[in-house]
Amino acid sequence: MERKINKVKIFTNSSEKTKVVTDKLIKALEEYNFEIVEENYDLAISIGGDGTFLHMLNKANFNEEIYYVGINTGSLGFLQEIDLEKNPDFVERLNNNHYDLEDIYLEEITVTTKDQTINYTALNEMVVRDKKLKVLECIVEVKEELLETFIGDGLLISTNTGSTAYNVSLGGSIISKDLLALSLTPIAPLKNKIYHSLSNPLIVSHKQTIGITPKNKNLVITLDGMNHELEDVIKIEAKIGNKKIKRLKLEDTNFIKIIRDKILGNEKEGRDL
Ligand code: NAP
């Protein structure tokens, strides 16, 4: 059951278009008596590109009690689905509770080092690399079954949501929105007479945990674009668990249409053969 939204926090990037859209939105929110606050908000709105959405989630600490929505003023907008020009009644619909909520499941990561266990969360992906960007060597397990000894630049573990981001640039598959899965995508795997790492991305279901036991002990892991340096790493585990965020939507979006529009750049319904 949707709850009444009263308090709103706005996250923005620094583009000129964002400034114009933000001013317009604040005016409309004030007209409907929404409170614009810095803390204890019901709804977080990001205005900008997908990077702004990721920044917002990080600042909100992936709080599961909050609703999230993105207004696109950036270039892509996979996560930022609302276009205020196409949805001029956005604030009115917020006021009337006339919206849908979509659960987006997150990647849960546990890092065990010599001294501690650290838990992280990511929406898009985790990238594991050597701290000094030397070749990474590690044992990879899926559901505790040995897959391989990987040698290469690094490993990326993407969620279905993140599959259209860095993953796709590395040749990973785009994973349908309604398919809860992780993609284990290699970054420049070594493949020669001596070393033979899997060069294809491997997609595993949300019921499986991917384990990485590195030979290099000092690593940098990048979560949704943010670097975390780690010393004396023993093991890294990644899975889709129960953690999720609620994204507010105005309409059902067709995933194939999004790929056609935003990756292929063909907004038309089709083209003549
Ligand atoms: P960033 O500048 O915030 O983002 C880099 C690009 O990735 C931007 O074009 C961004 O779109 C797009 N993006 C982010 N999430 C996406 C998603 N779920 N689906 C499709 N495109 C998405 O870079 P950052 O701060 O380093 O890292 C943020 C994210 O960028 C990472 O999570 C990673 O997936 C991605 N990234 C991609 C590459 C690559 O493709 N070679 C390299 C590094 C990072 P907007 O322009 O709309 O913000």
Side-chain angles (χ1 to χ4, degrees):
M1 182 66 192
E2 283 136 37
R3 56 164 193 262
K4 179 83 183 97
I5 296 165
N6 293 310
K7 297 183 179 180
V8 178
K9 172 150 179 164
I10 299 174
F11 296 82
T12 59
N13 66 8
S14 56
S15 86
E16 275 309 311
K17 187 167 177 204
T18 295
K19 278 190 198 123
V20 174
V21 170
T22 306
D23 288 349
K24 213 167 146 186
L25 183 75
I26 289 176
K27 238 178 167 178
L29 287 168
E30 285 173 348
E31 268 169 33
Y32 281 93
N33 294 323
F34 286 100
E35 247 186 277
I36 296 162
V37 296
E38 287 302 312
E39 305 286 339
N40 301 324
Y41 37 95
D42 313 306
L43 173 70
I45 304 180
S46 70
I47 308 176
D50 288 337
T52 322
F53 193 92
L54 295 171
H55 169 79
M56 165 179 77
L57 281 189
N58 196 269
K59 286 286 169 202
N61 212 9
F62 295 92
N63 186 335
E64 293 184 62
E65 303 300 315
I66 298 169
Y67 296 166
Y68 300 89
V69 69
I71 295 177
N72 187 26
T73 59
S75 49
L76 280 171
F78 280 86
L79 307 169
Q80 303 273 98
E81 286 189 343
I82 310 273
D83 179 340
L84 274 196
E85 277 168 25
K86 288 185 189 153
N87 305 103
D89 58 347
F90 171 63
V91 177
E92 190 185 334
R93 288 183 62 172
L94 285 186
N95 190 51
N96 296 336
N97 283 6
H98 183 199
Y99 53 79
D100 292 324
L101 292 169
E102 170 193 41
D103 286 337
I104 305 185
Y105 282 84
L106 303 165
E107 183 169 339
E108 296 176 24
I109 298 132
T110 306
V111 178
T112 310
T113 71
K114 197 162 79 59
D115 304 318
Q116 57 181 330
T117 301
I118 316 166
N119 294 312
Y120 295 105
T121 308
L123 179 77
N124 274 348
E125 79 283 289
M126 163 177 71
V127 182
V128 181
R129 290 191 182 91
D130 175 81
K131 191 174 162 185
K132 294 195 168 157
L133 303 182
K134 292 172 89 68
V135 167
L136 173 74
E137 190 171 344
C138 55
I139 290 168
V140 183
E141 291 161 306
V142 177
K143 219 177 173 182
E144 292 174 5
E145 178 72 28
L146 173 68
L147 172 71
E148 64 168 346
T149 299
F150 173 85
I151 305 181
D153 278 8
L155 285 168
L156 175 143
I157 302 178
S158 167
T159 61
N160 48 327
T161 305
S163 69
T164 48
Y166 195 1
N167 171 67
V168 90
S169 304
L170 293 169
S173 295
I174 298 172
I175 306 173
S176 179
K177 234 176 145 160
D178 51 359
L179 187 66
L180 268 187
L182 288 174
S183 176
L184 172 70
T185 307
I187 307 174
L190 260 73
K191 216 174 170 192
N192 54 39
K193 216 162 81 177
I194 306 167
Y195 303 116
H196 196 99
S197 303
L198 194 66
S199 51
N200 305 82
L202 174 71
I203 295 175
V204 300
S205 97
H206 66 100
K207 294 185 184 134
Q208 320 221 342
T209 299
I210 300 175
I212 297 175
T213 307
K215 193 172 162 195
N216 319 43
K217 292 302 169 199
N218 298 333
L219 304 175
V220 55
I221 64 165
T222 311
L223 305 168
D224 295 343
M226 269 153 285
N227 290 336
H228 302 259
E229 292 192 353
L230 297 163
E231 312 250 304
D232 293 317
V233 178
I234 296 166
K235 191 155 188 175
I236 300 173
E237 288 173 297
K239 64 173 184 185
I240 303 273
N242 296 322
K243 235 183 152 187
K244 57 180 190 273
I245 56 151
K246 287 200 181 299
R247 184 163 64 156
L248 189 147
K249 294 173 72 77
L250 295 186
E251 62 213 25
D252 250 356
T253 37
N254 184 307
F255 183 65
I256 299 302
K257 183 178 182 314
I258 291 177
I259 295 171
R260 194 177 69 229
D261 290 355
K262 299 189 192 266
I263 293 188
L264 296 173
N266 182 2
E267 291 212 33
K268 285 195 224 130
E269 286 303 314
R271 64 184 172 86
D272 297 336
L273 290 177

mmCIF file of all heavy atoms in Angstrom, residues 141-175:
data_model
loop_
_atom_site.group_PDB
_atom_site.id
_atom_site.type_symbol
_atom_site.label_atom_id
_atom_site.label_comp_id
_atom_site.label_asym_id
_atom_site.label_seq_id
_atom_site.Cartn_x
_atom_site.Cartn_y
_atom_site.Cartn_z
ATOM 1 N N GLU A 141 34.464 -18.999 -7.537
ATOM 2 C CA GLU A 141 33.508 -20.087 -7.253
ATOM 3 C C GLU A 141 32.089 -19.577 -7.473
ATOM 4 O O GLU A 141 31.809 -18.402 -7.241
ATOM 5 C CB GLU A 141 33.606 -20.517 -5.790
ATOM 6 C CG GLU A 141 34.901 -21.233 -5.446
ATOM 7 C CD GLU A 141 35.137 -21.216 -3.946
ATOM 8 O OE1 GLU A 141 35.123 -20.129 -3.353
ATOM 9 O OE2 GLU A 141 35.305 -22.304 -3.387
ATOM 10 N N VAL A 142 31.231 -20.467 -7.933
ATOM 11 C CA VAL A 142 29.814 -20.124 -8.012
ATOM 12 C C VAL A 142 29.096 -21.142 -7.138
ATOM 13 O O VAL A 142 29.222 -22.353 -7.362
ATOM 14 C CB VAL A 142 29.286 -20.164 -9.462
ATOM 15 C CG1 VAL A 142 27.788 -19.867 -9.496
ATOM 16 C CG2 VAL A 142 30.044 -19.177 -10.337
ATOM 17 N N LYS A 143 28.364 -20.645 -6.161
ATOM 18 C CA LYS A 143 27.676 -21.502 -5.189
ATOM 19 C C LYS A 143 28.658 -22.522 -4.613
ATOM 20 O O LYS A 143 28.379 -23.716 -4.570
ATOM 21 C CB LYS A 143 26.489 -22.202 -5.873
ATOM 22 C CG LYS A 143 25.271 -22.299 -4.990
ATOM 23 C CD LYS A 143 24.123 -22.934 -5.738
ATOM 24 C CE LYS A 143 22.977 -23.179 -4.791
ATOM 25 N NZ LYS A 143 21.860 -23.836 -5.478
ATOM 26 N N GLU A 144 29.826 -22.048 -4.247
ATOM 27 C CA GLU A 144 30.888 -22.843 -3.613
ATOM 28 C C GLU A 144 31.475 -23.922 -4.514
ATOM 29 O O GLU A 144 32.250 -24.762 -4.065
ATOM 30 C CB GLU A 144 30.415 -23.431 -2.279
ATOM 31 C CG GLU A 144 30.221 -22.313 -1.260
ATOM 32 C CD GLU A 144 29.628 -22.759 0.042
ATOM 33 O OE1 GLU A 144 29.433 -23.964 0.231
ATOM 34 O OE2 GLU A 144 29.369 -21.878 0.876
ATOM 35 N N GLU A 145 31.107 -23.931 -5.778
ATOM 36 C CA GLU A 145 31.708 -24.875 -6.725
ATOM 37 C C GLU A 145 32.798 -24.117 -7.493
ATOM 38 O O GLU A 145 32.546 -23.022 -8.009
ATOM 39 C CB GLU A 145 30.617 -25.378 -7.689
ATOM 40 C CG GLU A 145 31.090 -26.327 -8.771
ATOM 41 C CD GLU A 145 31.455 -27.708 -8.243
ATOM 42 O OE1 GLU A 145 30.891 -28.134 -7.215
ATOM 43 O OE2 GLU A 145 32.322 -28.347 -8.872
ATOM 44 N N LEU A 146 33.987 -24.700 -7.574
ATOM 45 C CA LEU A 146 35.086 -24.035 -8.271
ATOM 46 C C LEU A 146 34.738 -23.824 -9.738
ATOM 47 O O LEU A 146 34.352 -24.770 -10.434
ATOM 48 C CB LEU A 146 36.357 -24.886 -8.170
ATOM 49 C CG LEU A 146 37.531 -24.379 -9.009
ATOM 50 C CD1 LEU A 146 38.075 -23.061 -8.463
ATOM 51 C CD2 LEU A 146 38.635 -25.420 -9.093
ATOM 52 N N LEU A 147 34.872 -22.582 -10.213
ATOM 53 C CA LEU A 147 34.676 -22.315 -11.643
ATOM 54 C C LEU A 147 36.027 -22.277 -12.345
ATOM 55 O O LEU A 147 36.258 -22.989 -13.317
ATOM 56 C CB LEU A 147 33.936 -20.978 -11.832
ATOM 57 C CG LEU A 147 33.828 -20.485 -13.276
ATOM 58 C CD1 LEU A 147 32.857 -21.343 -14.086
ATOM 59 C CD2 LEU A 147 33.356 -19.018 -13.315
ATOM 60 N N GLU A 148 36.926 -21.424 -11.828
ATOM 61 C CA GLU A 148 38.203 -21.242 -12.522
ATOM 62 C C GLU A 148 39.198 -20.492 -11.649
ATOM 63 O O GLU A 148 38.841 -19.914 -10.625
ATOM 64 C CB GLU A 148 37.988 -20.423 -13.794
ATOM 65 C CG GLU A 148 37.491 -19.002 -13.497
ATOM 66 C CD GLU A 148 37.521 -18.054 -14.688
ATOM 67 O OE1 GLU A 148 38.163 -18.377 -15.697
ATOM 68 O OE2 GLU A 148 36.910 -16.980 -14.578
ATOM 69 N N THR A 149 40.457 -20.507 -12.115
ATOM 70 C CA THR A 149 41.422 -19.547 -11.595
ATOM 71 C C THR A 149 41.492 -18.454 -12.647
ATOM 72 O O THR A 149 41.915 -18.706 -13.779
ATOM 73 C CB THR A 149 42.807 -20.193 -11.400
ATOM 74 O OG1 THR A 149 42.654 -21.251 -10.455
ATOM 75 C CG2 THR A 149 43.813 -19.183 -10.872
ATOM 76 N N PHE A 150 41.022 -17.273 -12.288
ATOM 77 C CA PHE A 150 40.962 -16.170 -13.255
ATOM 78 C C PHE A 150 42.264 -15.385 -13.226
ATOM 79 O O PHE A 150 42.805 -15.098 -12.158
ATOM 80 C CB PHE A 150 39.793 -15.236 -12.911
ATOM 81 C CG PHE A 150 39.775 -13.988 -13.749
ATOM 82 C CD1 PHE A 150 39.181 -13.983 -15.002
ATOM 83 C CD2 PHE A 150 40.390 -12.807 -13.298
ATOM 84 C CE1 PHE A 150 39.184 -12.834 -15.791
ATOM 85 C CE2 PHE A 150 40.392 -11.667 -14.081
ATOM 86 C CZ PHE A 150 39.792 -11.672 -15.331
ATOM 87 N N ILE A 151 42.740 -15.045 -14.401
ATOM 88 C CA ILE A 151 43.888 -14.132 -14.502
ATOM 89 C C ILE A 151 43.546 -13.095 -15.574
ATOM 90 O O ILE A 151 43.207 -13.444 -16.715
ATOM 91 C CB ILE A 151 45.197 -14.866 -14.878
ATOM 92 C CG1 ILE A 151 45.459 -15.985 -13.874
ATOM 93 C CG2 ILE A 151 46.380 -13.895 -14.884
ATOM 94 C CD1 ILE A 151 46.719 -16.770 -14.122
ATOM 95 N N GLY A 152 43.616 -11.831 -15.181
ATOM 96 C CA GLY A 152 43.289 -10.766 -16.136
ATOM 97 C C GLY A 152 43.286 -9.431 -15.411
ATOM 98 O O GLY A 152 43.767 -9.320 -14.286
ATOM 99 N N ASP A 153 42.716 -8.405 -16.067
ATOM 100 C CA ASP A 153 42.694 -7.074 -15.439
ATOM 101 C C ASP A 153 41.766 -7.020 -14.229
ATOM 102 O O ASP A 153 42.015 -6.283 -13.279
ATOM 103 C CB ASP A 153 42.213 -6.030 -16.459
ATOM 104 C CG ASP A 153 43.349 -5.590 -17.364
ATOM 105 O OD1 ASP A 153 44.435 -6.196 -17.296
ATOM 106 O OD2 ASP A 153 43.136 -4.640 -18.152
ATOM 107 N N GLY A 154 40.648 -7.752 -14.312
ATOM 108 C CA GLY A 154 39.718 -7.692 -13.189
ATOM 109 C C GLY A 154 38.428 -8.419 -13.509
ATOM 110 O O GLY A 154 38.263 -8.988 -14.591
ATOM 111 N N LEU A 155 37.524 -8.393 -12.540
ATOM 112 C CA LEU A 155 36.220 -9.035 -12.719
ATOM 113 C C LEU A 155 35.125 -8.040 -12.366
ATOM 114 O O LEU A 155 35.269 -7.267 -11.400
ATOM 115 C CB LEU A 155 36.101 -10.248 -11.793
ATOM 116 C CG LEU A 155 36.887 -11.494 -12.201
ATOM 117 C CD1 LEU A 155 36.924 -12.499 -11.060
ATOM 118 C CD2 LEU A 155 36.264 -12.140 -13.450
ATOM 119 N N LEU A 156 34.067 -8.075 -13.150
ATOM 120 C CA LEU A 156 32.916 -7.211 -12.873
ATOM 121 C C LEU A 156 31.731 -8.125 -12.564
ATOM 122 O O LEU A 156 31.521 -9.109 -13.286
ATOM 123 C CB LEU A 156 32.646 -6.336 -14.101
ATOM 124 C CG LEU A 156 31.420 -5.422 -14.088
ATOM 125 C CD1 LEU A 156 31.750 -4.110 -14.796
ATOM 126 C CD2 LEU A 156 30.237 -6.068 -14.771
ATOM 127 N N ILE A 157 31.017 -7.815 -11.513
ATOM 128 C CA ILE A 157 29.803 -8.584 -11.214
ATOM 129 C C ILE A 157 28.635 -7.604 -11.232
ATOM 130 O O ILE A 157 28.530 -6.723 -10.375
ATOM 131 C CB ILE A 157 29.906 -9.334 -9.865
ATOM 132 C CG1 ILE A 157 31.124 -10.280 -9.871
ATOM 133 C CG2 ILE A 157 28.619 -10.112 -9.593
ATOM 134 C CD1 ILE A 157 31.348 -11.039 -8.575
ATOM 135 N N SER A 158 27.813 -7.750 -12.269
ATOM 136 C CA SER A 158 26.741 -6.778 -12.508
ATOM 137 C C SER A 158 25.374 -7.345 -12.137
ATOM 138 O O SER A 158 25.130 -8.538 -12.298
ATOM 139 C CB SER A 158 26.762 -6.421 -14.001
ATOM 140 O OG SER A 158 25.599 -5.727 -14.369
ATOM 141 N N THR A 159 24.487 -6.471 -11.697
ATOM 142 C CA THR A 159 23.087 -6.856 -11.501
ATOM 143 C C THR A 159 22.371 -6.744 -12.852
ATOM 144 O O THR A 159 22.935 -6.215 -13.817
ATOM 145 C CB THR A 159 22.394 -5.875 -10.532
ATOM 146 O OG1 THR A 159 22.445 -4.570 -11.120
ATOM 147 C CG2 THR A 159 23.069 -5.849 -9.186
ATOM 148 N N ASN A 160 21.123 -7.168 -12.892
ATOM 149 C CA ASN A 160 20.351 -6.966 -14.127
ATOM 150 C C ASN A 160 20.193 -5.472 -14.398
ATOM 151 O O ASN A 160 20.300 -5.036 -15.553
ATOM 152 C CB ASN A 160 19.002 -7.700 -14.098
ATOM 153 C CG ASN A 160 18.231 -7.484 -12.827
ATOM 154 O OD1 ASN A 160 18.805 -7.331 -11.756
ATOM 155 N ND2 ASN A 160 16.933 -7.451 -12.919
ATOM 156 N N THR A 161 20.009 -4.674 -13.344
ATOM 157 C CA THR A 161 19.877 -3.219 -13.536
ATOM 158 C C THR A 161 21.156 -2.624 -14.129
ATOM 159 O O THR A 161 21.118 -1.776 -15.016
ATOM 160 C CB THR A 161 19.574 -2.528 -12.184
ATOM 161 O OG1 THR A 161 18.425 -3.138 -11.625
ATOM 162 C CG2 THR A 161 19.369 -1.046 -12.328
ATOM 163 N N GLY A 162 22.302 -3.087 -13.643
ATOM 164 C CA GLY A 162 23.583 -2.546 -14.107
ATOM 165 C C GLY A 162 24.053 -3.145 -15.424
ATOM 166 O O GLY A 162 25.073 -2.713 -15.982
ATOM 167 N N SER A 163 23.299 -4.123 -15.936
ATOM 168 C CA SER A 163 23.789 -4.828 -17.134
ATOM 169 C C SER A 163 23.892 -3.903 -18.351
ATOM 170 O O SER A 163 24.645 -4.166 -19.279
ATOM 171 C CB SER A 163 22.904 -6.039 -17.452
ATOM 172 O OG SER A 163 21.628 -5.625 -17.881
ATOM 173 N N THR A 164 23.151 -2.774 -18.336
ATOM 174 C CA THR A 164 23.212 -1.835 -19.470
ATOM 175 C C THR A 164 24.324 -0.793 -19.282
ATOM 176 O O THR A 164 24.493 0.074 -20.133
ATOM 177 C CB THR A 164 21.865 -1.091 -19.619
ATOM 178 O OG1 THR A 164 21.475 -0.601 -18.332
ATOM 179 C CG2 THR A 164 20.784 -2.002 -20.166
ATOM 180 N N ALA A 165 25.060 -0.883 -18.174
ATOM 181 C CA ALA A 165 26.080 0.132 -17.889
ATOM 182 C C ALA A 165 27.482 -0.394 -18.265
ATOM 183 O O ALA A 165 27.699 -0.823 -19.399
ATOM 184 C CB ALA A 165 25.978 0.540 -16.420
ATOM 185 N N TYR A 166 28.423 -0.397 -17.349
ATOM 186 C CA TYR A 166 29.804 -0.812 -17.629
ATOM 187 C C TYR A 166 29.830 -2.226 -18.244
ATOM 188 O O TYR A 166 30.575 -2.524 -19.171
ATOM 189 C CB TYR A 166 30.593 -0.772 -16.312
ATOM 190 C CG TYR A 166 32.098 -0.815 -16.422
ATOM 191 C CD1 TYR A 166 32.739 -0.865 -17.666
ATOM 192 C CD2 TYR A 166 32.888 -0.794 -15.276
ATOM 193 C CE1 TYR A 166 34.125 -0.899 -17.749
ATOM 194 C CE2 TYR A 166 34.263 -0.820 -15.355
ATOM 195 C CZ TYR A 166 34.885 -0.880 -16.589
ATOM 196 O OH TYR A 166 36.236 -0.913 -16.665
ATOM 197 N N ASN A 167 28.963 -3.087 -17.720
ATOM 198 C CA ASN A 167 28.882 -4.469 -18.206
ATOM 199 C C ASN A 167 28.750 -4.548 -19.727
ATOM 200 O O ASN A 167 29.441 -5.326 -20.383
ATOM 201 C CB ASN A 167 27.688 -5.154 -17.523
ATOM 202 C CG ASN A 167 27.373 -6.508 -18.099
ATOM 203 O OD1 ASN A 167 28.159 -7.441 -17.966
ATOM 204 N ND2 ASN A 167 26.240 -6.626 -18.758
ATOM 205 N N VAL A 168 27.869 -3.703 -20.278
ATOM 206 C CA VAL A 168 27.614 -3.786 -21.719
ATOM 207 C C VAL A 168 28.839 -3.300 -22.510
ATOM 208 O O VAL A 168 29.144 -3.809 -23.585
ATOM 209 C CB VAL A 168 26.292 -3.057 -22.085
ATOM 210 C CG1 VAL A 168 26.479 -1.604 -22.416
ATOM 211 C CG2 VAL A 168 25.581 -3.756 -23.215
ATOM 212 N N SER A 169 29.583 -2.359 -21.938
ATOM 213 C CA SER A 169 30.811 -1.875 -22.607
ATOM 214 C C SER A 169 31.875 -2.965 -22.657
ATOM 215 O O SER A 169 32.761 -2.938 -23.504
ATOM 216 C CB SER A 169 31.392 -0.668 -21.876
ATOM 217 O OG SER A 169 30.450 0.345 -21.776
ATOM 218 N N LEU A 170 31.785 -3.907 -21.711
ATOM 219 C CA LEU A 170 32.765 -5.004 -21.674
ATOM 220 C C LEU A 170 32.291 -6.205 -22.496
ATOM 221 O O LEU A 170 32.873 -7.281 -22.430
ATOM 222 C CB LEU A 170 33.009 -5.449 -20.225
ATOM 223 C CG LEU A 170 33.708 -4.437 -19.324
ATOM 224 C CD1 LEU A 170 33.641 -4.898 -17.868
ATOM 225 C CD2 LEU A 170 35.155 -4.245 -19.736
ATOM 226 N N GLY A 171 31.215 -6.042 -23.212
ATOM 227 C CA GLY A 171 30.691 -7.141 -24.034
ATOM 228 C C GLY A 171 29.755 -8.046 -23.266
ATOM 229 O O GLY A 171 29.395 -9.121 -23.753
ATOM 230 N N GLY A 172 29.344 -7.628 -22.064
ATOM 231 C CA GLY A 172 28.392 -8.434 -21.286
ATOM 232 C C GLY A 172 26.999 -8.349 -21.885
ATOM 233 O O GLY A 172 26.695 -7.431 -22.651
ATOM 234 N N SER A 173 26.170 -9.323 -21.540
ATOM 235 C CA SER A 173 24.799 -9.337 -22.076
ATOM 236 C C SER A 173 23.912 -8.368 -21.318
ATOM 237 O O SER A 173 24.087 -8.167 -20.115
ATOM 238 C CB SER A 173 24.192 -10.727 -21.912
ATOM 239 O OG SER A 173 24.895 -11.634 -22.693
ATOM 240 N N ILE A 174 22.940 -7.850 -22.023
ATOM 241 C CA ILE A 174 21.913 -7.048 -21.358
ATOM 242 C C ILE A 174 20.922 -8.034 -20.749
ATOM 243 O O ILE A 174 20.451 -8.937 -21.437
ATOM 244 C CB ILE A 174 21.201 -6.129 -22.373
ATOM 245 C CG1 ILE A 174 22.223 -5.161 -22.977
ATOM 246 C CG2 ILE A 174 20.041 -5.402 -21.727
ATOM 247 C CD1 ILE A 174 21.676 -4.338 -24.127
ATOM 248 N N ILE A 175 20.657 -7.874 -19.456
ATOM 249 C CA ILE A 175 19.759 -8.818 -18.774
ATOM 250 C C ILE A 175 18.396 -8.167 -18.609
ATOM 251 O O ILE A 175 18.305 -7.031 -18.121
ATOM 252 C CB ILE A 175 20.325 -9.226 -17.395
ATOM 253 C CG1 ILE A 175 21.755 -9.762 -17.532
ATOM 254 C CG2 ILE A 175 19.423 -10.249 -16.724
ATOM 255 C CD1 ILE A 175 22.452 -10.020 -16.204
#
